[in-house]
């Protein structure tokens, strides 16, 4: 059958739904399709037959040769929302198909359809081999995911009050991982109220999460939600990777991009979301090449997509429990919290740091219920037109304060020291000083929290460090940016040397490495490297972390090359 690649013009409705329609749904030329044929295989579908379905692993990217395919979004409540009709010369996929993730939309044939199916591994090869064509395809895949997120129609449905702390927790998890979702409040939506009644859901059960396959979860953990949505699978433990990267902050993502682009097989594990602490930054203004600034989420999202383009496997959220450095089977072994073991020839520790929990009375009773360690648009909506307290005096605290000042009535910055100059960039200090609804409280600390335990924060107690007097303020949202401790507990028992603060010692700093030439990023255990904030002596800046992530790849090649040489 000859290919009919003359696509009709986009409808006005489609153009209005997708402002960048020509880039989001480009039409390929006949020569372009011919260049793509060597990467795919022909597939034919009858009228009404499904090419892919929401919640099921997608087979790859389809190029429509003849016929039309209707794309729709479907949520777990059975609501179907039309997305677009795609015809000859257009391709069907979004960014998840780079790694064979589950489909986020349905695609059904309208009449007989002939396609060219390009599997995920072949799609990645196409993007690399055909640079100009690959750029157009990659841009379209990214824009389609953005459109799905902004559309608010498909994906899991979160049912509960918008002010609920656990609602914000799950929203943040999904948003940080680029997953489309939408919210329904049982107080205003009858279907949501009926579902709450049907499951006899108590307050502790909320939010309910209705997955695209119709399954219902009661206030799930992030891992339970990820498993139900097909975000993570169990195939990774069957492989032997060249390198396993633990942590997907800027350093880990940089390692993944450079290592995968140079042909190494890479697995990246992270306990929560890509981007790390940097991914929660509202705006990074001093990163090279972005004079107007860029959000941490946008920067991390681009790197996350780039790593998948080159074939890195992203295992998120997957927590690492321990590292076995004995190499009894010739490889390092990572034990995960879900009970699997992942094997790799080398390890890059990029686990960064965990948010520090200051000594504040009843802190644990209000975490995720008024106490936050990051400031995203989700938390900003919760504190609209309210007074908030933000604790901290570093760059992250400054960025968050400026961001929150655009939503909150007033932001009280509580700082232990007597000024900001020693810990914050000058441009942020000037911006804070120029923002009328940010008030600085120096030489002070938060000492206690009050409210309904496990439900909602209502008041915050703080005191001056220069006097014993304690003050109370009616505050429903408290933001803590008081530094972080290295996430290195999973390294216990494997022989990796840590400094007094728990950071990983590398290069000549390690006593075990003295007297032998070692790469500056290698730890005391050969084959285990450390980059970014988790490394002792690192700069603790996004640019520095990315630089180390790129630098370590040369050392990885050296180690893997030596390990492959036969013993003399």
């Amino acid at each position: 059958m000859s290919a009919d690649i003359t696509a009709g013009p986009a409808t006005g409705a489609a153009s209005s739904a997708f402002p960048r329609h020509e880039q989001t749904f480009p039409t390929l030329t006949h020569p372009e399709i011919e260049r793509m044929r060597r990467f795919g295989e022909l597939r034919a579908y009858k009228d009404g037959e499904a090419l892919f379905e929401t919640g099921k692993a997608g087979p790859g990217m389809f190029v429509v040769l003849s016929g039309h395919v209707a794309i729709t979004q479907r949520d777990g409540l059975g609501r179907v929302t039309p997305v677009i009709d795609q015809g000859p010369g257009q391709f069907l996929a979004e960014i998840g198909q780079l790694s064979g993730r589950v489909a986020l939309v349905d695609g059904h044939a309208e009449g007989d359809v002939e396609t060219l199916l390009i599997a995920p591994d072949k799609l990645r090869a196409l993007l690399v081999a055909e640079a100009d064509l690959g750029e157009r395809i990659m841009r379209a895949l990214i824009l389609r995911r953005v459109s799905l997120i902004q559309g608010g129609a498909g994906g899991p449905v979160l049912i509960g009050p918008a002010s609920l702390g656990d609602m914000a927790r799950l929203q943040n998890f999904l948003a940080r991982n680029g997953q489309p979702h939408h919210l329904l409040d049982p107080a205003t939506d009858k279907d949501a109220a009926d579902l709450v009644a049907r499951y006899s859901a108590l307050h502790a059960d909320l939010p309910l999460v209705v997955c695209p396959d119709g399954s219902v979860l009661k206030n799930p953990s992030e891992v339970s939600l990820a498993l139900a949505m097909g975000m993570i699978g169990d195939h990774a433990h069957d492989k032997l990777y060249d390198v396993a990267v633990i942590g997907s902050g800027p350093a880990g993502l940089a390692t993944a991009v450079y290592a995968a682009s140079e042909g190494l097989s890479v697995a990246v594990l992270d306990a929560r979301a890509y981007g790390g602490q940097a991914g929660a930054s509202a705006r990074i203004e001093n990163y090279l090449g972005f004079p107007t600034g860029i959000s941490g989420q946008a920067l991390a999202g681009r790197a996350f997509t780039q790593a998948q383009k080159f074939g890195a496997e992203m295992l998120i959220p997957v927590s690492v429990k321990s590292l076995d450095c004995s190499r009894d089977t010739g490889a390092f072994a990572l034990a995960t919290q879900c009970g699997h073991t992942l094997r790799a020839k080398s390890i890059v520790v990029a686990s960064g740091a965990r948010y520090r929990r200051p000594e504040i009375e009843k802190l644990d009773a209000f975490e995720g219920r008024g106490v936050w360690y990051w400031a995203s648009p989700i938390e900003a909506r919760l504190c609209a037109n309210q007074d908030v307290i933000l604790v901290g005096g570093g760059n992250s605290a400054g960025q968050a304060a400026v961001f929150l000042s655009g939503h909150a009535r007033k932001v009280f910055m509580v700082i232990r020291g007597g000024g900001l100059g020693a810990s914050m960039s000058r441009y942020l200090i000037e911006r804070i000083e120029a923002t009328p609804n940010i008030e600085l409280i120096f030489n002070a600390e938060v000492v206690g929290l009050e409210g309904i335990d496990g439900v909602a924060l209502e008041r915050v107690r703080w005191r001056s460090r220069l006097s014993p007097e304690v003050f109370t303020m009616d505050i429903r949202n408290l933001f803590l940016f008081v530094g972080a401790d290295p996430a290195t507990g999973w390294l216990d028992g494997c022989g990796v040397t840590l400094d007094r603060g728990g950071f990983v010692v590398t290069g000549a700093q390690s006593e075990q490495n003295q007297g032998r030439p070692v790469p500056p990023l290698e730890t005391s255990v050969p084959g285990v490297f450390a980059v970014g904030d988790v490394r002792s002596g690192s700069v603790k800046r996004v640019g520095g972390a990315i630089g180390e992530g790129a630098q370590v790849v040369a050392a990885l090649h050296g180690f893997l090359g030596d390990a492959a040489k036969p013993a003399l």
Side-chain angles (χ1 to χ4, degrees), residues 507-508 512-520 522-523 526 562:
Q512 288 87 339
N513 289 337
Q514 291 180 3
R516 69 184 184 95
V518 296
E522 187 170 80
T523 71
D562 290 343

Side-chain angles (χ1 to χ4, degrees), residues 30 92 116 173 243 248 267 283 289 304 314 338 353-354 391 419 421 432 441 460-461 482-484 513 544:
H30 182 79
L92 319 175
L116 179 69
F173 168 72
V243 56
S248 64
R283 182 167 296 275
F304 178 73
M314 315 303 288
C338 52
R354 302 189 189 282
V391 180
I432 288 170
I441 305 176
V460 170
R461 298 197 309 275
V482 292
N513 289 337

Side-chain angles (χ1 to χ4, degrees), residues 121-192:
D121 59 331
K122 298 295 185 181
L123 175 57
R124 296 192 297 269
L126 166 65
L127 296 176
V128 174
E130 299 283 349
D132 293 340
L133 181 56
E135 180 183 349
R136 291 177 63 204
I137 293 173
M138 177 63 77
R139 181 182 294 111
L141 300 185
I142 294 171
L143 289 174
R144 292 176 187 183
R145 173 62 71 95
V146 171
S147 296
L148 291 175
I149 293 172
Q150 294 177 342
V157 184
L158 277 60
I159 296 177
S163 60
L164 196 65
D166 284 312
M167 179 74 86
R169 171 179 64 85
L170 295 178
Q171 265 190 282
N172 201 291
F173 168 72
L174 293 169
R176 288 283 302 274
N177 284 289
Q179 294 294 322
H181 62 281
H182 61 287
L183 317 179
L184 291 178
D185 191 335
T188 57
D189 187 282
K190 184 178 183 303
D191 288 342

Side-chain angles (χ1 to χ4, degrees), residues 195-366:
L195 197 67
V196 170
R198 187 187 316 163
Y199 281 85
S200 301
L202 304 174
H203 188 277
D205 296 329
L206 298 179
L208 297 180
V209 179
V210 186
C211 298
D213 63 1
S215 60
V216 178
L217 309 176
K218 295 182 178 181
N219 195 11
S221 67
E222 286 91 334
V223 173
S224 296
L225 178 55
L227 288 169
M229 291 175 56
M231 289 174 60
I232 50 178
D234 59 359
H235 65 283
H237 65 280
D238 297 325
K239 301 181 181 181
L240 173 62
Y241 295 91
D242 289 324
V243 56
V245 183
I246 294 77
S248 64
L253 290 173
T255 302
V257 168
Y258 284 97
S261 68
E262 295 184 15
L264 299 181
S265 59
V266 181
V268 181
L269 298 85
D270 197 287
R272 180 171 174 80
Y274 61 81
Q277 285 186 297
S281 295
R283 182 167 296 275
I284 302 170
E285 295 193 59
N286 58 354
Y287 184 65
L288 185 68
F290 293 91
T292 59
I294 184 172
S295 73
Q297 178 72 9
L299 183 64
R302 294 179 184 191
F304 178 73
T305 299
Q306 198 173 15
Q308 292 181 89
K309 169 185 174 180
F310 291 118
E313 291 195 41
M314 315 303 288
L315 308 176
I316 304 173
V318 174
S319 296
V320 175
K321 185 169 61 175
S322 63
L323 171 64
D324 183 353
C325 294
S326 63
R327 300 173 67 193
D328 292 336
T329 61
F332 296 96
L334 289 161
T336 66
Q337 293 287 358
C338 52
H340 293 308
T341 299
L342 183 143
R343 299 185 306 127
K345 299 175 184 176
S346 61
I347 301 292
V348 174
V349 181
S351 47
R354 302 189 189 282
Y355 300 105
R356 188 170 296 155
R357 302 173 75 253
E359 293 293 329
I360 298 176
E361 183 183 341
K362 285 198 169 184
L363 177 64
D364 57 346
F366 298 105

